[in-house]
mmCIF file of all heavy atoms in Angstrom:
data_model
loop_
_atom_site.group_PDB
_atom_site.id
_atom_site.type_symbol
_atom_site.label_atom_id
_atom_site.label_comp_id
_atom_site.label_asym_id
_atom_site.label_seq_id
_atom_site.Cartn_x
_atom_site.Cartn_y
_atom_site.Cartn_z
ATOM 1 N N MET A 1 36.954 -12.730 40.834
ATOM 2 C CA MET A 1 36.513 -11.351 40.648
ATOM 3 C C MET A 1 35.764 -10.942 41.909
ATOM 4 O O MET A 1 34.994 -11.728 42.444
ATOM 5 C CB MET A 1 35.607 -11.186 39.399
ATOM 6 C CG MET A 1 36.301 -11.350 38.162
ATOM 7 S SD MET A 1 35.290 -11.177 36.683
ATOM 8 C CE MET A 1 34.680 -12.879 36.504
ATOM 9 N N THR A 2 35.876 -9.679 42.288
ATOM 10 C CA THR A 2 35.117 -9.169 43.354
ATOM 11 C C THR A 2 34.401 -7.845 43.011
ATOM 12 O O THR A 2 34.874 -7.098 42.178
ATOM 13 C CB THR A 2 36.028 -8.947 44.596
ATOM 14 O OG1 THR A 2 36.977 -7.900 44.188
ATOM 15 C CG2 THR A 2 36.676 -10.151 45.077
ATOM 16 N N ALA A 3 33.259 -7.710 43.501
ATOM 17 C CA ALA A 3 32.445 -6.518 43.256
ATOM 18 C C ALA A 3 32.171 -5.861 44.592
ATOM 19 O O ALA A 3 31.717 -6.533 45.552
ATOM 20 C CB ALA A 3 31.160 -6.852 42.521
ATOM 21 N N ALA A 4 32.401 -4.535 44.642
ATOM 22 C CA ALA A 4 32.040 -3.819 45.874
ATOM 23 C C ALA A 4 30.991 -2.825 45.571
ATOM 24 O O ALA A 4 31.048 -2.014 44.600
ATOM 25 C CB ALA A 4 33.306 -3.082 46.295
ATOM 26 N N ALA A 5 29.814 -2.877 46.284
ATOM 27 C CA ALA A 5 28.722 -2.047 46.002
ATOM 28 C C ALA A 5 28.471 -0.876 46.986
ATOM 29 O O ALA A 5 27.446 -0.349 47.084
ATOM 30 C CB ALA A 5 27.453 -2.901 45.900
ATOM 31 N N ASP A 6 29.484 -0.644 47.844
ATOM 32 C CA ASP A 6 29.415 0.339 48.897
ATOM 33 C C ASP A 6 29.710 1.765 48.498
ATOM 34 O O ASP A 6 29.847 2.611 49.260
ATOM 35 C CB ASP A 6 30.130 -0.090 50.139
ATOM 36 C CG ASP A 6 31.616 -0.181 49.847
ATOM 37 O OD1 ASP A 6 32.018 -0.374 48.664
ATOM 38 O OD2 ASP A 6 32.449 -0.097 50.815
ATOM 39 N N ARG A 7 29.870 1.975 47.191
ATOM 40 C CA ARG A 7 30.227 3.288 46.635
ATOM 41 C C ARG A 7 29.159 3.728 45.770
ATOM 42 O O ARG A 7 28.256 3.020 45.392
ATOM 43 C CB ARG A 7 31.564 3.150 45.876
ATOM 44 C CG ARG A 7 32.706 2.708 46.757
ATOM 45 C CD ARG A 7 33.938 2.537 45.883
ATOM 46 N NE ARG A 7 35.072 2.172 46.649
ATOM 47 C CZ ARG A 7 35.575 0.919 46.774
ATOM 48 N NH1 ARG A 7 34.964 -0.041 46.243
ATOM 49 N NH2 ARG A 7 36.654 0.758 47.482
ATOM 50 N N ALA A 8 29.173 5.002 45.169
ATOM 51 C CA ALA A 8 28.185 5.503 44.324
ATOM 52 C C ALA A 8 27.988 4.589 43.062
ATOM 53 O O ALA A 8 26.891 4.268 42.720
ATOM 54 C CB ALA A 8 28.580 6.885 43.792
ATOM 55 N N LEU A 9 29.079 4.076 42.518
ATOM 56 C CA LEU A 9 29.001 3.094 41.440
ATOM 57 C C LEU A 9 29.734 1.814 41.993
ATOM 58 O O LEU A 9 30.750 1.930 42.728
ATOM 59 C CB LEU A 9 29.747 3.569 40.175
ATOM 60 C CG LEU A 9 29.055 4.659 39.384
ATOM 61 C CD1 LEU A 9 29.900 4.944 38.099
ATOM 62 C CD2 LEU A 9 27.710 4.239 38.950
ATOM 63 N N PRO A 10 29.208 0.665 41.618
ATOM 64 C CA PRO A 10 29.916 -0.535 41.986
ATOM 65 C C PRO A 10 31.211 -0.702 41.369
ATOM 66 O O PRO A 10 31.386 -0.206 40.290
ATOM 67 C CB PRO A 10 28.860 -1.686 41.543
ATOM 68 C CG PRO A 10 27.997 -1.068 40.566
ATOM 69 C CD PRO A 10 27.952 0.423 40.821
ATOM 70 N N VAL A 11 32.086 -1.426 42.080
ATOM 71 C CA VAL A 11 33.459 -1.650 41.540
ATOM 72 C C VAL A 11 33.608 -3.137 41.374
ATOM 73 O O VAL A 11 33.376 -3.948 42.231
ATOM 74 C CB VAL A 11 34.488 -1.145 42.536
ATOM 75 C CG1 VAL A 11 35.892 -1.491 41.986
ATOM 76 C CG2 VAL A 11 34.332 0.402 42.670
ATOM 77 N N VAL A 12 34.107 -3.516 40.204
ATOM 78 C CA VAL A 12 34.455 -4.864 39.861
ATOM 79 C C VAL A 12 35.980 -4.946 39.732
ATOM 80 O O VAL A 12 36.532 -4.120 38.959
ATOM 81 C CB VAL A 12 33.765 -5.394 38.607
ATOM 82 C CG1 VAL A 12 34.262 -6.832 38.267
ATOM 83 C CG2 VAL A 12 32.259 -5.397 38.763
ATOM 84 N N ALA A 13 36.619 -5.762 40.481
ATOM 85 C CA ALA A 13 38.078 -5.836 40.533
ATOM 86 C C ALA A 13 38.585 -7.219 40.297
ATOM 87 O O ALA A 13 38.925 -7.987 41.118
ATOM 88 C CB ALA A 13 38.551 -5.289 41.920
ATOM 89 N N PRO A 14 38.624 -7.586 38.936
ATOM 90 C CA PRO A 14 39.080 -8.918 38.617
ATOM 91 C C PRO A 14 40.574 -9.077 38.878
ATOM 92 O O PRO A 14 41.371 -8.072 38.826
ATOM 93 C CB PRO A 14 38.737 -9.031 37.144
ATOM 94 C CG PRO A 14 38.766 -7.619 36.633
ATOM 95 C CD PRO A 14 38.285 -6.800 37.869
ATOM 96 N N GLN A 15 41.029 -10.329 39.072
ATOM 97 C CA GLN A 15 42.405 -10.603 39.291
ATOM 98 C C GLN A 15 42.827 -11.750 38.363
ATOM 99 O O GLN A 15 42.138 -12.692 38.205
ATOM 100 C CB GLN A 15 42.638 -11.078 40.755
ATOM 101 C CG GLN A 15 42.269 -10.060 41.784
ATOM 102 C CD GLN A 15 43.117 -8.915 41.866
ATOM 103 O OE1 GLN A 15 44.383 -9.016 41.851
ATOM 104 N NE2 GLN A 15 42.540 -7.711 41.883
ATOM 105 N N GLY A 16 43.973 -11.598 37.739
ATOM 106 C CA GLY A 16 44.559 -12.616 36.930
ATOM 107 C C GLY A 16 44.402 -12.520 35.462
ATOM 108 O O GLY A 16 44.275 -11.373 34.909
ATOM 109 N N ASP A 17 44.463 -13.622 34.806
ATOM 110 C CA ASP A 17 44.420 -13.731 33.282
ATOM 111 C C ASP A 17 43.011 -13.803 32.801
ATOM 112 O O ASP A 17 42.257 -14.586 33.366
ATOM 113 C CB ASP A 17 45.227 -14.836 32.773
ATOM 114 C CG ASP A 17 46.774 -14.681 33.022
ATOM 115 O OD1 ASP A 17 47.204 -13.712 33.462
ATOM 116 O OD2 ASP A 17 47.466 -15.755 32.744
ATOM 117 N N PHE A 18 42.703 -13.058 31.728
ATOM 118 C CA PHE A 18 41.353 -13.111 31.138
ATOM 119 C C PHE A 18 41.450 -13.347 29.671
ATOM 120 O O PHE A 18 42.020 -12.577 28.990
ATOM 121 C CB PHE A 18 40.643 -11.844 31.465
ATOM 122 C CG PHE A 18 40.187 -11.736 32.910
ATOM 123 C CD1 PHE A 18 41.114 -11.311 33.878
ATOM 124 C CD2 PHE A 18 38.930 -12.186 33.325
ATOM 125 C CE1 PHE A 18 40.749 -11.289 35.154
ATOM 126 C CE2 PHE A 18 38.586 -12.165 34.717
ATOM 127 C CZ PHE A 18 39.531 -11.674 35.596
ATOM 128 N N ASP A 19 40.815 -14.496 29.252
ATOM 129 C CA ASP A 19 40.919 -14.808 27.854
ATOM 130 C C ASP A 19 39.426 -15.243 27.364
ATOM 131 O O ASP A 19 38.484 -14.966 28.131
ATOM 132 C CB ASP A 19 41.811 -15.996 27.659
ATOM 133 C CG ASP A 19 41.486 -17.253 28.469
ATOM 134 O OD1 ASP A 19 40.321 -17.369 28.934
ATOM 135 O OD2 ASP A 19 42.371 -18.140 28.624
ATOM 136 N N MET A 20 39.350 -15.887 26.260
ATOM 137 C CA MET A 20 38.065 -16.130 25.676
ATOM 138 C C MET A 20 37.197 -17.052 26.559
ATOM 139 O O MET A 20 35.970 -17.011 26.477
ATOM 140 C CB MET A 20 38.120 -16.696 24.261
ATOM 141 C CG MET A 20 38.873 -18.008 24.198
ATOM 142 S SD MET A 20 39.069 -18.597 22.506
ATOM 143 C CE MET A 20 37.504 -19.247 22.184
ATOM 144 N N GLN A 21 37.812 -17.806 27.430
ATOM 145 C CA GLN A 21 37.011 -18.647 28.280
ATOM 146 C C GLN A 21 36.427 -17.866 29.525
ATOM 147 O O GLN A 21 35.417 -18.296 29.963
ATOM 148 C CB GLN A 21 37.874 -19.900 28.753
ATOM 149 C CG GLN A 21 38.242 -20.808 27.647
ATOM 150 C CD GLN A 21 39.107 -21.886 28.055
ATOM 151 O OE1 GLN A 21 39.856 -21.761 29.088
ATOM 152 N NE2 GLN A 21 39.091 -22.989 27.316
ATOM 153 N N ILE A 22 37.181 -16.921 29.942
ATOM 154 C CA ILE A 22 36.778 -16.202 31.152
ATOM 155 C C ILE A 22 36.051 -14.890 30.838
ATOM 156 O O ILE A 22 35.263 -14.382 31.570
ATOM 157 C CB ILE A 22 37.974 -15.955 32.084
ATOM 158 C CG1 ILE A 22 38.488 -17.335 32.441
ATOM 159 C CG2 ILE A 22 37.626 -15.152 33.294
ATOM 160 C CD1 ILE A 22 39.820 -17.263 33.150
ATOM 161 N N ALA A 23 36.298 -14.349 29.658
ATOM 162 C CA ALA A 23 35.750 -12.973 29.303
ATOM 163 C C ALA A 23 34.187 -12.999 29.456
ATOM 164 O O ALA A 23 33.722 -11.959 29.940
ATOM 165 C CB ALA A 23 36.117 -12.633 27.932
ATOM 166 N N PRO A 24 33.397 -13.955 29.063
ATOM 167 C CA PRO A 24 32.004 -13.787 29.244
ATOM 168 C C PRO A 24 31.584 -13.642 30.689
ATOM 169 O O PRO A 24 30.609 -12.921 30.986
ATOM 170 C CB PRO A 24 31.451 -15.168 28.677
ATOM 171 C CG PRO A 24 32.487 -15.603 27.734
ATOM 172 C CD PRO A 24 33.847 -15.178 28.304
ATOM 173 N N SER A 25 32.295 -14.285 31.620
ATOM 174 C CA SER A 25 31.992 -14.116 33.050
ATOM 175 C C SER A 25 32.283 -12.674 33.477
ATOM 176 O O SER A 25 31.602 -12.069 34.323
ATOM 177 C CB SER A 25 32.652 -15.157 33.945
ATOM 178 O OG SER A 25 34.028 -14.998 33.934
ATOM 179 N N LEU A 26 33.343 -12.033 32.985
ATOM 180 C CA LEU A 26 33.732 -10.706 33.299
ATOM 181 C C LEU A 26 32.552 -9.819 32.774
ATOM 182 O O LEU A 26 32.096 -8.906 33.491
ATOM 183 C CB LEU A 26 34.995 -10.289 32.637
ATOM 184 C CG LEU A 26 35.389 -8.824 32.783
ATOM 185 C CD1 LEU A 26 35.569 -8.409 34.259
ATOM 186 C CD2 LEU A 26 36.701 -8.573 32.105
ATOM 187 N N SER A 27 32.140 -10.003 31.570
ATOM 188 C CA SER A 27 31.037 -9.203 30.953
ATOM 189 C C SER A 27 29.768 -9.308 31.841
ATOM 190 O O SER A 27 29.151 -8.317 32.169
ATOM 191 C CB SER A 27 30.795 -9.636 29.544
ATOM 192 O OG SER A 27 29.778 -8.853 28.931
ATOM 193 N N MET A 28 29.432 -10.535 32.198
ATOM 194 C CA MET A 28 28.213 -10.737 33.035
ATOM 195 C C MET A 28 28.325 -10.056 34.377
ATOM 196 O O MET A 28 27.426 -9.407 34.806
ATOM 197 C CB MET A 28 27.949 -12.197 33.208
ATOM 198 C CG MET A 28 26.853 -12.580 34.070
ATOM 199 S SD MET A 28 25.258 -12.253 33.326
ATOM 200 C CE MET A 28 25.233 -13.641 32.136
ATOM 201 N N GLU A 29 29.521 -10.123 35.011
ATOM 202 C CA GLU A 29 29.650 -9.463 36.343
ATOM 203 C C GLU A 29 29.634 -7.949 36.171
ATOM 204 O O GLU A 29 29.006 -7.300 37.047
ATOM 205 C CB GLU A 29 31.063 -9.933 36.918
ATOM 206 C CG GLU A 29 31.140 -9.283 38.372
ATOM 207 C CD GLU A 29 32.221 -9.885 39.170
ATOM 208 O OE1 GLU A 29 32.892 -10.854 38.732
ATOM 209 O OE2 GLU A 29 32.332 -9.403 40.339
ATOM 210 N N LEU A 30 30.184 -7.404 35.129
ATOM 211 C CA LEU A 30 30.101 -5.964 34.947
ATOM 212 C C LEU A 30 28.654 -5.502 34.757
ATOM 213 O O LEU A 30 28.222 -4.530 35.285
ATOM 214 C CB LEU A 30 30.987 -5.527 33.775
ATOM 215 C CG LEU A 30 32.540 -5.615 34.004
ATOM 216 C CD1 LEU A 30 33.258 -5.474 32.698
ATOM 217 C CD2 LEU A 30 33.003 -4.586 34.995
ATOM 218 N N LEU A 31 27.940 -6.247 33.877
ATOM 219 C CA LEU A 31 26.578 -5.797 33.493
ATOM 220 C C LEU A 31 25.658 -6.065 34.744
ATOM 221 O O LEU A 31 24.788 -5.183 35.024
ATOM 222 C CB LEU A 31 26.069 -6.496 32.366
ATOM 223 C CG LEU A 31 26.744 -6.134 31.017
ATOM 224 C CD1 LEU A 31 26.393 -7.033 29.899
ATOM 225 C CD2 LEU A 31 26.485 -4.656 30.691
ATOM 226 N N THR A 32 25.903 -7.083 35.516
ATOM 227 C CA THR A 32 25.068 -7.336 36.697
ATOM 228 C C THR A 32 25.329 -6.273 37.751
ATOM 229 O O THR A 32 24.433 -5.735 38.361
ATOM 230 C CB THR A 32 25.380 -8.773 37.244
ATOM 231 O OG1 THR A 32 25.068 -9.753 36.288
ATOM 232 C CG2 THR A 32 24.602 -8.994 38.478
ATOM 233 N N ALA A 33 26.545 -5.956 37.900
ATOM 234 C CA ALA A 33 26.963 -4.864 38.920
ATOM 235 C C ALA A 33 26.309 -3.558 38.518
ATOM 236 O O ALA A 33 25.869 -2.741 39.436
ATOM 237 C CB ALA A 33 28.421 -4.767 39.019
ATOM 238 N N ALA A 34 26.215 -3.253 37.241
ATOM 239 C CA ALA A 34 25.729 -1.961 36.781
ATOM 240 C C ALA A 34 24.197 -1.905 36.758
ATOM 241 O O ALA A 34 23.622 -0.785 36.709
ATOM 242 C CB ALA A 34 26.218 -1.696 35.323
ATOM 243 N N ASP A 35 23.583 -3.039 36.787
ATOM 244 C CA ASP A 35 22.114 -3.110 36.659
ATOM 245 C C ASP A 35 21.459 -2.307 37.826
ATOM 246 O O ASP A 35 21.754 -2.501 39.004
ATOM 247 C CB ASP A 35 21.651 -4.604 36.777
ATOM 248 C CG ASP A 35 20.162 -4.704 36.422
ATOM 249 O OD1 ASP A 35 19.674 -3.964 35.621
ATOM 250 O OD2 ASP A 35 19.514 -5.570 37.079
ATOM 251 N N GLY A 36 20.656 -1.357 37.405
ATOM 252 C CA GLY A 36 19.857 -0.537 38.334
ATOM 253 C C GLY A 36 20.632 0.711 38.851
ATOM 254 O O GLY A 36 19.954 1.512 39.462
ATOM 255 N N VAL A 37 21.926 0.819 38.619
ATOM 256 C CA VAL A 37 22.656 1.957 39.114
ATOM 257 C C VAL A 37 23.217 2.764 37.947
ATOM 258 O O VAL A 37 23.684 3.853 38.246
ATOM 259 C CB VAL A 37 23.714 1.618 40.137
ATOM 260 C CG1 VAL A 37 23.190 1.010 41.431
ATOM 261 C CG2 VAL A 37 24.790 0.697 39.513
ATOM 262 N N GLY A 38 23.169 2.318 36.772
ATOM 263 C CA GLY A 38 23.570 3.079 35.656
ATOM 264 C C GLY A 38 25.043 3.078 35.245
ATOM 265 O O GLY A 38 25.474 3.938 34.415
ATOM 266 N N GLY A 39 25.897 2.328 35.961
ATOM 267 C CA GLY A 39 27.222 2.290 35.698
ATOM 268 C C GLY A 39 28.034 1.377 36.512
ATOM 269 O O GLY A 39 27.507 0.805 37.480
ATOM 270 N N VAL A 40 29.254 1.175 36.133
ATOM 271 C CA VAL A 40 30.137 0.353 36.952
ATOM 272 C C VAL A 40 31.617 0.804 36.669
ATOM 273 O O VAL A 40 31.955 1.316 35.620
ATOM 274 C CB VAL A 40 30.000 -1.186 36.461
ATOM 275 C CG1 VAL A 40 30.362 -1.325 34.989
ATOM 276 C CG2 VAL A 40 30.782 -2.082 37.380
ATOM 277 N N VAL A 41 32.467 0.561 37.705
ATOM 278 C CA VAL A 41 33.872 0.864 37.590
ATOM 279 C C VAL A 41 34.574 -0.455 37.584
ATOM 280 O O VAL A 41 34.432 -1.327 38.399
ATOM 281 C CB VAL A 41 34.360 1.722 38.722
ATOM 282 C CG1 VAL A 41 35.901 1.914 38.678
ATOM 283 C CG2 VAL A 41 33.593 3.021 38.803
#
């Protein structure tokens, strides 16, 4: 997964398959990216 923070809202752009083993890391990345800026794409 990659996050870009050079825009008004950060962008998280995951690649590939996401299942119950990987979903928690996606959630964590989205919430971390949104922290302090109020949103995430």
Side-chain angles (χ1 to χ4, degrees):
M1 290 179 275
T2 59
D6 60 339
R7 300 175 176 99
L9 286 180
V11 176
V12 174
Q15 301 290 313
D17 293 352
F18 287 82
D19 58 19
M20 64 185 278
Q21 294 177 336
I22 299 174
S25 65
L26 175 61
S27 180
M28 178 71 75
E29 184 164 0
L30 289 167
L31 291 171
T32 299
D35 190 35
V37 295
V40 63
V41 177

